[in-house]
Structure formats: structure tokens, C-alpha cells
């Protein structure tokens, strides 16, 4: 059978194949929009809830901590319930969490933020394993589509926030959209409950990867690329503004990070799946990231849009490679889920440290050079971990039958 044809649970079933693709993509679209939509609405939300800037920052930092804590719990969940059921419940909790963020009580808004962060963390870990289970011979293409949809969901959340605010004269309308989308997504996930061979295993095993060096390499690669992305997404506008760009130019440059990353989100996993090892992609991603950071550090006013484009290439390529490693280095769905859980748990702890570390270095030094030099050093560490992660061998977990 040609590798381009569906394999796994969908052989000869084009309708359910199409539903599965739509279900996975819609789930991915829900994993960022409900979080990032509050960014452009900061003034309106702070005024409405009467909160400080530091209190508002909890709406973006708490989810990252939820990602770190909840990610490690997902393999335990999959040993007890079918991943399709976990996904459905996760989507319902996303809708509930966003609904709480629409309320006037800030304490309840924080409760909603915690619910949202925990549900997204679970789906972040679960979906790479489902990609491997649903489409075992198309993991590159499906990982690419998943990664693109993830970025598009985030972009849509930011892009529509202000137009919907202006149309309805309330910040709650653009936020409410992300409570409705998960409910629509359920219509495509309910048929997935009938898919056989993807449910809870008959003899569930507890898989530990903490002694596997490839798993640790992938974990550090995931963590360092997250540190890089969240640091740049947070501070690049401020860096460019302090170096003389106006607000419009700085905003355009920052938007390029997401825009330029989209083709890399799609094509890097496809190429990765076709390669014996992915070291060429690791090196290429390192080069564009390093050049982009170095340009912002020493010549920020020369070609800022080019530097931002390089950063976007590096962010898109590194994220897609990390997601690809979850499925390419695992033998089965359970291993892919365990690897994803380990990498994302530690990875998002590192991600949460990124913006804080760079901001602290800026405050201590009075300029951005040391913060950017830190990113350059960490790019070397990311290259080293990626070089090992790209080695064409599978993880070797410790397993215990429960």
C-alpha cells in the first residue's frame, strides 16, 4: 500500500478520515486563541475588572504554569480513559474556562484561567499521540497541519480581538467566541468515539522516560525553543521601540514572527518524516534563529523586518521539529503521549522563566544586550539538544504493567 494512502484505523473509510482530520485541526485551533485574545484587550479588561497590570499578567502567566503541572498527568489519564473521551472533556472544560473569564468577579476569572490552562495542557500533550494513532503513516503531514492550525488559531485570536471589540463595544464578545468554538468542535469529536484501536489499552502500562537520553534531549529542545518563542513574543516590541522604531513598525515586526512561521510549521514536519535523521533541519533552524537574534542585538535598526522574519522562521521550525520528535522517536501512541508529557511539562517551566529572565537582565543592565546574548547562548544549547534528538533511534522507556 502506498504510504500516501490512509492507514491505521481509517483504511477504506474516507468519510471518517475527513472527520478525523477536521476534528484534530479544530482541536488545535482551540489551544491558543482563548489565551492570547486578552492581549489586545488589556486596557478594556483592566478598566472593566478594575485590576492592576500585575494582576492582569496572571491571565497569561498562570496558563503556562498549568501547562507545566498538568502535562505530566496526561499519561495517567490515558491509562484510565480513552483519549477521545479525554479530548471531549478537555474541550468542554476549555469552553467552561473561557466562560468564567467573561464574569465581573476577578477571582472567578482566575478560576476560569486555571481551568482553561489545565484543559489546554492536557490537549497539548494528547494530540501528538492521537496524530500517531489516527495517521501512523502520515505523521509528518498531519503534524504540519496541526502546527499550522495552532499558529492560525493564535493569530485569529489576536487579529479579531479589536474588530469585534469595536463592532460590539465590549471586550466580552471577542473572548466569548473562544467559548463557542470548542462546542462546535464537539460535533466532530463525538464520531471519533467509534474509532477502534485508539481507546484505553487492554493491558495499560506506566511508561517512564526519565532515564532515556533521547527523551531528555527532546525535552530540552522543546523547553529551549519555548523559552525563545515566549521571550521574543513578549519583549521584541519593547526592544524595537527602545531602539527607535515607532509603535506601528514594532507591531508589524512582531506580527511577522507568527506570519513567517506558518510555512515552516507545515513543511518542516513533512521533511522531518522523510529524513533518516533531522540534523540538517536542526542546524538550519539554529542558523536563522541565531542570525535573527544577533541582528536585533547589534544592528536592530538596519533591517528589523528581516531580523523578525528570521526569528519567525526559527520559532516555526523549532516548534514543528519538537512536535515531530514526539511521534518520530516513539514506537506507539502510549510512548508518544509519555514523551509529549515529559517534554511539555519541563518545557513550559522553562518557557515561563523566559520573559521574566530577560526582563530582569534588562532591569539590571539598563539595556537589552545581555538579555539577547543569553538567548544566543541558549541557542547553542538548543542546537546541542536538537542534534542528539535528531538521532534516528527510538526512546527506550521503562514500562510496568498495571
Amino acid at each position: 500500500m502506498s504510504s500516501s494512502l490512509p492507514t491505521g484505523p481509517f483504511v477504506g473509510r474516507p468519510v471518517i478520515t475527513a472527520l478525523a482530520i477536521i476534528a484534530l485541526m479544530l482541536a488545535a485551533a482551540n489551544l491558543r486563541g482563548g489565551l492570547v485574545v486578552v492581549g489586545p484587550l488589556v486596557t478594556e479588561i483592566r478598566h472593566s475588572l478594575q485590576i492592576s497590570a500585575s494582576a492582569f499578567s496572571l491571565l497569561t502567566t498562570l496558563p503556562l504554569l498549568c501547562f507545566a503541572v498538568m502535562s505530566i498527568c496526561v499519561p495517567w489519564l490515558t491509562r484510565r480513559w480513552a483519549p477521545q473521551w479525554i479530548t471531549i472533556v478537555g474541550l468542554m472544560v476549555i469552553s467552561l474556562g473561557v466562560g468564567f473569564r467573561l464574569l465581573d468577579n476577578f477571582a472567578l476569572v482566575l478560576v476560569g484561567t486555571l481551568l482553561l490552562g489545565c484543559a489546554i495542557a492536557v490537549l497539548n500533550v494528547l494530540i501528538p499521540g492521537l496524530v500517531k494513532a489516527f495517521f501512523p503513516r502520515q505523521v509528518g503531514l498531519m503534524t504540519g497541519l496541526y502546527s499550522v492550525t495552532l499558529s492560525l488559531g493564535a493569530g485569529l485570536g489576536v487579529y479579531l480581538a479589536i474588530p469585534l471589540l469595536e463592532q460590539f463595544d465590549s471586550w466580552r464578545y471577542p473572548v466569548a467566541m473562544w467559548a463557542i468554538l470548542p462546542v462546535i468542535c464537539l460535533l466532530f469529536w463525538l464520531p471519533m468515539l467509534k474509532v477502534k484501536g485508539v481507546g484505553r489499552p487492554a493491558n495499560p502500562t506506566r511508561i517512564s522516560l526519565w532515564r532515556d537520553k533521547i527523551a531528555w534531549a527532546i525535552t530540552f529542545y522543546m523547553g529551549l525553543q519555548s523559552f525563545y518563542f515566549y521571550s521574543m513574543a513578549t519583549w521584541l516590541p519593547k526592544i524595537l521601540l527602545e531602539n527607535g522604531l515607532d509603535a506601528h513598525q514594532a507591531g508589524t515586526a512582531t506580527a511577522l514572527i507568527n506570519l513567517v512561521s506558518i510555512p515552516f510549521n507545515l513543511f518542516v514536519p513533512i521533511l522531518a518524516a522523510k529524513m533518516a535523521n533531522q540534523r540538517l533541519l536542526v542546524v538550519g533552524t539554529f542558523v536563522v534563529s541565531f542570525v535573527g537574534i544577533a541582528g536585533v542585538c547589534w544592528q536592530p535598526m538596519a533591517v528589523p523586518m528581516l531580523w523578525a522574519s528570521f526569528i519567525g522562521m526559527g520559532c516555526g521550525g523549532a516548534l514543528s521539529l519538537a512536535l515531530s520528535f514526539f511521534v518520530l522517536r516513539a514506537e506507539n501512541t502510549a510512548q508518544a503521549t509519555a514523551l509529549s508529557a515529559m517534554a511539555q511539562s519541563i518545557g513550559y517551566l522553562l518557557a515561563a522563566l523566559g520573559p521574566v529572565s530577560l526582563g530582569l537582565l534588562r532591569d539590571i543592565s539598563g539595556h537589552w544586550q545581555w538579555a539577547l546574548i543569553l538567548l544566543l547562548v541558549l541557542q547553542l544549547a538548543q542546537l546541542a539538544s536538537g542534534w542528539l534528538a535528531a538521532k534516528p533511534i527510538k526512546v527506550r522507556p521503562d514500562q510496568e504493567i498495571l
Side-chain angles (χ1 to χ4, degrees), residues 53-104:
S54 59
F56 177 85
S57 70
L58 292 174
L59 301 184
T60 54
T61 55
L62 278 179
L64 287 178
L65 297 177
C66 291
F67 290 177
V69 173
M70 281 300 298
S71 294
I72 206 68
C73 300
V74 178
W76 179 86
L77 293 173
T78 60
R79 293 196 298 270
R80 284 154 179 81
W81 296 283
Q84 299 99 309
W85 271 117
I86 299 172
T87 302
I88 288 170
V89 173
L91 289 167
M92 294 171 64
V93 175
I94 287 175
S95 182
L96 180 64
V98 175
F100 269 93
R101 279 157 65 104
L102 296 171
L103 302 177
D104 283 325

Side-chain angles (χ1 to χ4, degrees), residues 377-401:
V377 172
L378 291 179
Q379 278 298 308
L380 294 171
Q382 185 177 319
L383 173 64
S385 60
W387 187 265
L388 180 57
K391 192 175 181 180
I393 59 176
K394 304 292 186 182
V395 294
R396 296 181 179 179
D398 299 323
Q399 297 186 1
E400 176 185 347
I401 298 178

Side-chain angles (χ1 to χ4, degrees), residues 9-10 16-31 83-84 87 91 123-136 138-139 141-150 181 184-190 192 195 198:
F10 303 127
I16 194 70
T17 299
L19 286 175
I21 294 172
I22 295 171
L24 286 169
M25 297 308 105
L26 282 178
N30 281 282
L31 300 186
Q84 299 99 309
T87 302
L91 289 167
L123 296 188
N124 273 340
V125 173
L126 199 62
I127 290 180
L130 282 170
V131 167
K132 189 172 184 68
F134 284 177
F135 301 98
Q138 293 84 32
V139 292
L141 174 61
M142 294 307 301
T143 301
L145 290 174
Y146 164 67
S147 183
V148 167
T149 310
L150 201 66
L181 184 59
I184 297 173
C185 190
L186 291 177
L187 299 176
F188 294 90
W189 272 98
L190 289 173
M192 296 302 105
V195 178
V198 188

Side-chain angles (χ1 to χ4, degrees), residues 141-395:
L141 174 61
M142 294 307 301
T143 301
L145 290 174
Y146 164 67
S147 183
V148 167
T149 310
L150 201 66
S151 295
L152 288 176
L156 197 64
V158 173
Y159 179 75
L160 292 179
I162 299 303
L164 287 174
L165 169 69
E166 294 173 346
Q167 177 70 30
F168 296 102
D169 195 29
S170 171
W171 62 266
R172 289 182 169 85
Y173 282 88
V175 174
M177 179 179 72
W178 298 99
I180 297 170
L181 184 59
V183 178
I184 297 173
C185 190
L186 291 177
L187 299 176
F188 294 90
W189 272 98
L190 289 173
M192 296 302 105
L193 294 174
K194 298 181 179 180
V195 178
K196 299 187 183 301
V198 188
R200 178 179 177 270
N203 296 310
T205 58
R206 179 165 49 231
I207 295 174
S208 173
L209 294 165
W210 298 97
R211 293 192 291 181
D212 185 86
K213 64 179 182 180
I214 297 297
W216 275 108
I218 295 170
T219 295
F220 281 118
Y221 191 80
M222 176 69 189
L224 291 170
Q225 70 83 24
S226 297
F227 186 106
Y228 171 44
F229 170 75
Y230 284 101
S231 296
M232 285 289 93
T234 301
W235 292 119
L236 183 60
K238 180 69 170 175
I239 294 171
L240 295 177
L241 284 170
E242 290 190 10
N243 279 281
L245 264 69
D246 61 37
H248 175 73
Q249 290 173 316
T252 300
T254 306
L256 278 174
I257 294 178
N258 281 322
L259 182 63
V260 173
S261 71
I262 290 175
F264 292 85
N265 291 149
L266 178 60
F267 292 112
V268 166
I270 295 174
L271 292 173
K274 295 179 181 296
M275 293 178 166
N277 69 68
Q278 294 74 38
R279 285 174 171 170
L280 182 62
L281 294 175
V282 170
V283 172
T285 299
F286 161 77
V287 169
V288 292
S289 294
F290 197 91
V291 170
I293 301 168
V296 172
C297 184
W298 287 295
Q299 293 292 330
M301 297 298 291
V303 277
M305 302 305 165
L306 180 61
W307 304 143
S309 296
F310 280 151
I311 290 170
M313 294 176 196
C315 288
L319 172 61
S320 298
L321 264 180
L323 294 174
S324 298
F325 288 147
F326 297 161
V327 293
L328 294 175
R329 297 294 171 262
E331 292 282 3
N332 51 49
T333 302
Q335 288 186 13
T337 301
L339 181 56
S340 178
M342 175 180 172
Q344 295 200 54
S345 176
I346 295 175
Y348 282 114
L349 279 177
L350 287 173
L353 292 174
V356 175
S357 301
L358 266 64
L360 183 61
L361 282 173
R362 164 65 179 82
D363 290 341
I364 293 172
S365 66
H367 55 73
W368 287 103
Q369 272 68 32
W370 285 115
L372 292 168
I373 288 171
L374 172 63
L375 284 182
L376 291 173
V377 172
L378 291 179
Q379 278 298 308
L380 294 171
Q382 185 177 319
L383 173 64
S385 60
W387 187 265
L388 180 57
K391 192 175 181 180
I393 59 176
K394 304 292 186 182
V395 294

Side-chain angles (χ1 to χ4, degrees), residues 2-59:
S2 170
S3 63
S4 63
L5 297 176
T7 58
F10 303 127
V11 176
R13 304 168 67 190
V15 175
I16 194 70
T17 299
L19 286 175
I21 294 172
I22 295 171
L24 286 169
M25 297 308 105
L26 282 178
N30 281 282
L31 300 186
R32 293 294 181 271
L35 294 176
V36 301
V37 67
V38 299
L41 306 171
V42 54
T43 302
E44 290 76 16
I45 293 175
R46 285 187 58 197
H47 177 74
S48 175
L49 299 177
Q50 297 184 339
I51 57 175
S52 65
S54 59
F56 177 85
S57 70
L58 292 174
L59 301 184

